[in-house]
Amino acid sequence: MIESLKGVIQFAYEKAEGFKQNMVRAGLSPDDITSIEDLEKIPVLKKDLLPELQKVDPPFGKMTTINSKEMARIFMSPGPIYDPQTHEKDFWRFSEALQMAGFHEGDIVQNTFSYHLSPAGFMFDSALRKLGATVVPAGTGNRELQIQVMRDLQITGYVGTPSFFGLLLDYAEEKGWTVGKELKIKKVFFTAEMLTAEMRKRCEDKGISVYEGYGTADCGCLAFEDKQGPGLKVTATALVQICDPITGREVKSGEGEVVVTLFDKSYPLIRFGTGDLSRWVEGYEGKRIAGVLGRVSDGVKVKGMFVREKQLATFLEQEGYKTFQGIVSNEKGQDVFELFIESEEELDANLLPKLQSVIRITPILTRVNPGRISNNKEEKRIVDQRLFNRNKV
């Protein structure tokens, strides 16, 4: 691995001006990195800095080694952050996780991640195709149509969030359809949301095999369930570290930020801070993580999408609303995002669809009279009230 690491660092230093500038500011050259331990010398590139870096040097902050015209696709995640797909095949490397979950040639898989702007749909589409599975690009929403597709096409696998699969099971039960008769679903792969013990049991009681994984739009697959130990197994296709969010130094115990180094020379993310908090499973340091335990920054994941306070504040201020507070909760296994906005008049009727296009989820908008929301700048304007078990492993 060290030779691969040295090779990608040398290549990035020569071809990706943004990475070279990061190294030069730290007084480093590729010759200073001769071991994995030496990676700590390189400053962590924080995900929350990407929007500003990309704004200064569009479109990718000079972090790629090829230009936009040579890429397969370009996506846009909330932030906004532009995410390159620099080649076809299994660019995000999720086939390793899906193969472990039992997906293979002969499966017909309903992919319910979005194919619109965000890369999630293509992440799993390309991985499933590499395994030889047939993919139904279902995308998000429309549970009535989705459950009809699941029955008509005799779907055997599902990829998506656990909450949406729960909605599909609810609707199937309303129609009197059961797994094993009208529905042939045998396996599911969940990511982007917390998987509750209740949801896992509900699936397994129906004879459905359940696996989960962890990845990001920038880095692709990082860890996945293999049922051979606690927590999630770290992928062999990337170098994953758990680091102190302030110093960037590796931590051997306790929580820290997930920091990733990729070996893809076309988009060589090196010491990339995902903003996700995790920890090594005791006794499996360097091999297994305890899943996502929270966020370093103000980004809060709701229904699989990150809602960022700064982006939300900028949008609402442009629309004439300066004071707001968002509350994230979970009701019956479904994320709920309620947005309280101060206004003397009724909210603009076009505010909701405009907001949906920015944050990619549908909030509940509630107008409150001026003075109802604290204007203390020290207080968070997005509050996460979900009670997840942070010590599940």
Side-chain angles (χ1 to χ4, degrees), residues 11 43 46 115 162-163 172 224 256-257 291-292 305 308-309 332 337 352 373:
F11 191 83
K46 297 286 188 177
Y115 283 75
S163 62
F224 53 91
E257 182 177 15
V292 177
M305 300 298 293
R308 303 183 186 281
E309 183 176 306
K332 297 180 180 179
F337 182 43
L352 182 59
I373 299 173

Side-chain angles (χ1 to χ4, degrees), residues 2 10 48 70 93 103 163 174 188 192 277 322 346 374:
I2 185 58
Q10 181 68 49
D48 283 351
E70 298 176 272
R93 313 172 324 281
F103 290 82
S163 62
E174 290 173 17
V188 294
L277 290 172
K322 293 184 178 181
E346 291 300 318
S374 171

Side-chain angles (χ1 to χ4, degrees), residues 316-352:
L316 289 175
E317 188 165 341
Q318 290 173 346
E319 296 296 317
Y321 304 105
K322 293 184 178 181
T323 307
F324 69 91
Q325 185 174 53
I327 304 294
V328 184
S329 58
N330 190 277
E331 298 179 7
K332 297 180 180 179
Q334 303 296 316
D335 286 343
V336 177
F337 182 43
E338 188 166 8
L339 191 59
F340 297 90
I341 301 175
E342 284 193 0
S343 177
E344 293 182 351
E345 303 175 350
E346 291 300 318
L347 301 178
D348 188 322
N350 294 319
L351 182 62
L352 182 59

